[in-house]
Amino acid sequence: MSQLSRLISILTLLKSKRLLTSTELAERYNVSVRTIYRDIRKLEEAGIPIISVEGKGYSLMDGYFVAPVQFTEKQANALITAQHLVNQTKDESFANDFNEALIKIKSVFRSSIQEKSELLSDKIIVLDQFWNDFEPINRNALSEIQLAITNFNYVEINYRKVDNSPPSTRKIEPCAMYSIQNKWILIAWCHLRSDYRAFRVDRIQHFKILPEKFEDRKFNLQDYFTESCHKEHENSDS
């Protein structure tokens, strides 16, 4: 890759993500960190308003080169969700092409949309994805719940358990989602149980996004899975 192509690509990346470290960029382009420093200087000399955040990386000044096309938060969330689904395909070239296209699309996101799309991306996992006969989402709940996750809104749900017992009303703090065996699972802090609970989205019969905000519990989906595995091992007969 020529230096000019790399500079254009770095600029596109900076528009698609709030912060990028010199190490990330060096690894992506298979060059040294020193080369990245020189590239950043050249972009700055060309009048590109790059901000260096000490200890975190580089970003572009908010509002620079605002594109005429803007995405809503729901549209951005749909793209992030699609990325997780596409990345499960066994066609590596297709996934790579989609991810490269998404980088270009994300470059026109407003800073606030970038921030929330990155937050959502860390809170979604797709496991054992199948492409046929995907379970329909009840009443378009997926996009609304994603908004509640990234905006820290309480949600009130009527939930029907697998045993078909009468639905219960829950007030929850939606934290993350994952997909497994064609079903979306919502992880949330349940105020009825005073603990984290997993809810199948297709079993939510009614939901309401409440205006009240909850305080971020710093939930981490990877830690949740690790802890769940440990609990299953401790409760096993082996």
Side-chain angles (χ1 to χ4, degrees):
M1 176 182 285
S2 68
Q3 185 185 48
L4 178 59
S5 297
R6 189 172 64 249
L7 291 175
I8 294 172
S9 182
I10 290 173
L11 180 57
T12 301
L13 280 172
L14 286 169
K15 282 294 295 176
S16 71
K17 193 172 183 180
R18 288 179 305 122
L19 285 171
L20 284 167
T21 67
S22 55
T23 301
E24 286 178 307
L25 291 170
E27 290 176 351
R28 181 178 183 85
Y29 299 110
N30 195 28
V31 296
S32 68
V33 171
R34 187 179 295 276
T35 297
I36 295 299
Y37 290 157
R38 288 197 293 267
D39 288 344
I40 295 296
R41 279 199 300 271
K42 283 190 175 294
L43 288 171
E44 290 173 332
E45 290 168 0
I48 309 299
I50 297 176
I51 299 171
S52 178
V53 182
E54 187 174 356
K56 294 185 177 180
Y58 301 106
S59 68
L60 283 180
M61 181 181 294
D62 193 19
Y64 171 73
F65 191 57
V66 177
V69 177
Q70 295 292 348
F71 289 83
T72 67
E73 188 176 344
K74 281 186 180 180
Q75 290 167 344
N77 287 346
L79 287 168
I80 296 302
T81 305
Q83 181 183 30
H84 282 266
L85 295 172
V86 167
N87 283 340
Q88 294 301 309
T89 181
K90 296 186 183 302
D91 189 327
E92 186 176 344
S93 63
F94 172 70
N96 288 339
D97 287 341
F98 181 90
N99 286 313
E100 289 296 325
L102 187 57
I103 286 174
K104 296 177 181 178
I105 292 171
K106 287 170 66 180
S107 70
V108 303
F109 285 179
R110 297 192 307 273
S111 295
S112 59
I113 299 297
Q114 286 179 10
E115 181 178 358
K116 288 178 180 178
S117 67
E118 289 175 25
L119 174 63
L120 181 66
S121 185
D122 291 336
K123 293 178 178 293
I124 292 181
I125 289 181
V126 177
L127 305 170
D128 300 328
Q129 178 58 43
F130 303 100
W131 286 90
N132 297 320
D133 301 322
F134 196 83
E135 185 74 23
I137 300 300
N138 185 36
R139 294 191 185 95
N140 299 317
L142 184 60
S143 62
E144 296 294 334
I145 290 173
Q146 288 177 339
L147 285 178
I149 290 174
T150 57
N151 290 283
F152 303 100
N153 286 99
Y154 286 107
V155 178
E156 185 178 87
I157 63 172
N158 287 343
Y159 188 71
R160 179 171 54 87
K161 297 171 71 173
V162 178
D163 60 10
N164 287 322
S165 57
S168 60
T169 300
R170 315 281 187 101
K171 183 178 181 181
I172 62 172
E173 300 174 14
C175 299
M177 304 185 78
Y178 68 94
S179 175
I180 187 169
Q181 296 180 345
N182 300 347
K183 291 178 174 60
W184 281 105
I185 310 297
L186 169 66
I187 306 298
W189 179 268
C190 177
H191 284 257
L192 181 65
R193 304 302 184 196
S194 296
D195 199 359
Y196 289 110
R197 287 291 187 269
F199 300 97
R200 268 179 50 180
V201 173
D202 62 303
R203 290 190 173 275
I204 297 176
Q205 295 190 319
H206 172 76
F207 72 95
K208 181 180 180 182
I209 309 296
L210 303 178
E212 296 91 347
K213 306 275 189 180
F214 60 86
E215 200 159 322
D216 186 5
R217 295 178 183 270
K218 307 300 181 184
F219 177 86
N220 183 283
L221 194 52
Q222 296 289 353
D223 291 344
Y224 173 84
F225 280 123
T226 301
E227 185 176 342
S228 296
C229 288
H230 286 165
K231 286 182 179 178
E232 288 181 8
H233 179 74
E234 290 172 357
N235 293 332
S236 67
D237 294 329
S238 58

